[in-house]
Amino acid sequence: MELNGIKPAAGAKHAKRRVGRGIGSGIGKTAGRGHKGQKSRAGGFHKVGFEGGQMPLQRRLPKRGFKSQTLKYNAEVTLTSLENLGAAEVDMLTLKQAGLVGHMIKVVKVIKTGELTKAVKLTGIGATAGAKAAIEAAGGSIA
């Protein structure tokens, strides 16, 4: 191998398309921009969603609903997951270490999905009415 024989890999380099350079090139005259109009001019662009002065679609449609930003800090834990966890006392830290809730979670609520047979003591965790009854029926408590 010599320095004067080094070439880039096949297909790695390709010539830049030179538009508007005569009729022989096949892309001369209007250079692929068509005839007249805003998009044919230099600097002829408009903002996203602009419809030529017509009321844009995003403003014609009614606003509907909203997504709460506090929901990303809330989580739910099922009775089944508490059963599988197997801990006698459960608090926020226990759930985070077990990977049942994310590390950003601030509020946890137990929901009644599945069955609970072990007595579990919840500290600093909420529960729905059905879940609370199931936990107390299994001999557990909610503090």
Side-chain angles (χ1 to χ4, degrees):
M1 184 189 301
E2 301 293 331
L3 285 177
N4 61 358
I6 296 175
K7 288 183 180 175
K13 297 273 193 181
H14 51 86
K16 187 169 180 276
R17 176 168 286 201
R18 298 187 70 214
V19 296
R21 295 295 179 271
I23 57 173
S25 69
I27 37 179
K29 195 184 171 219
T30 54
R33 288 170 172 260
H35 293 278
K36 297 188 182 176
Q38 187 176 18
K39 287 168 74 176
S40 72
R41 320 278 189 214
F45 289 99
H46 49 77
K47 62 185 176 185
V48 175
F50 184 69
E51 298 183 17
Q54 174 176 297
M55 189 60 69
L57 183 68
Q58 71 269 22
R59 290 188 59 198
R60 273 179 295 190
L61 299 176
K63 294 193 282 188
R64 185 172 180 273
F66 98 113
K67 186 168 182 175
S68 173
Q69 291 302 302
T70 58
L71 284 178
K72 60 185 171 187
Y73 301 113
N74 298 349
E76 293 175 346
V77 177
T78 61
L79 290 175
T80 308
S81 57
L82 284 180
E83 177 83 21
N84 295 338
L85 187 61
E89 291 191 21
V90 177
D91 62 345
M92 191 82 75
L93 190 63
T94 312
L95 294 175
K96 286 182 180 181
Q97 288 172 343
L100 289 175
V101 298
H103 68 280
M104 284 177 56
I105 300 300
K106 294 178 182 171
V107 178
V108 175
K109 198 169 203 178
V110 179
I111 58 173
K112 187 187 175 207
T113 302
E115 297 293 322
L116 185 68
T117 56
K118 301 171 186 167
V120 176
K121 182 183 177 188
L122 299 180
T123 313
I125 295 171
T128 61
K132 188 174 181 180
I135 290 167
E136 289 170 351
S141 64
I142 298 171

